[in-house]
Amino acid sequence: QVQLVESGGGLVQPGGSLRLSCVASRIIFSIVPMAWYRQPPGKERELVADITVGDTTNYADSVKGRFTISKDNAGKTAYLRMNSLKPEDTAVYYCSTKLGSNRYWGQGTQVTVSS
């Protein structure tokens, strides 16, 4: 069973930065795409950013220019660097991957942007 474990969330002031990490296990990391989703309070889960096997990236309009997704195949880790954070970025952030027809999720990490 694929396992994804996120870390790096926390409380940050508006304008601040955080880097989320997602460590994968029981998967050949270099051959799967990775994605970060988030679920704000009372709202549906939404795609934040994804990265293909060939390192092509895609971002939600709301985070373009502020967030950067990357991955380290040797370390089986995906990252989400978040700069210029806004209160509306407050959410539980999940990493995810898809292998065949199955999508896998981590347990999530809370990001709260507040003064």
Side-chain angles (χ1 to χ4, degrees), residues 1-4 24-34 52-53 71-77 97-100 104:
Q1 181 76 356
V2 174
Q3 289 189 338
L4 302 172
S25 59
R26 302 177 185 176
I27 192 170
I28 303 175
F29 189 77
S30 60
I31 65 168
V32 295
M34 294 297 299
T52 67
V53 172
K71 60 185 177 75
D72 170 11
N73 288 335
K76 293 189 175 183
T77 303
T97 189
K98 191 172 182 183
L99 186 61
Y104 299 93

Side-chain angles (χ1 to χ4, degrees), residues 35-54:
W36 287 94
Y37 287 75
R38 68 185 180 187
Q39 187 164 16
K43 296 184 179 180
E44 294 185 355
R45 195 172 297 190
E46 61 185 9
L47 177 66
V48 175
D50 58 32
I51 184 167
T52 67
V53 172

Side-chain angles (χ1 to χ4, degrees), residues 48-49 57-69 81-86:
V48 175
T57 57
N58 172 62
Y59 297 93
D61 287 343
S62 59
V63 307
K64 280 181 182 176
R66 299 189 298 123
F67 290 12
T68 303
I69 187 171
R81 177 68 180 180
M82 306 185 294
N83 295 328
S84 302
L85 282 161
K86 304 175 181 180

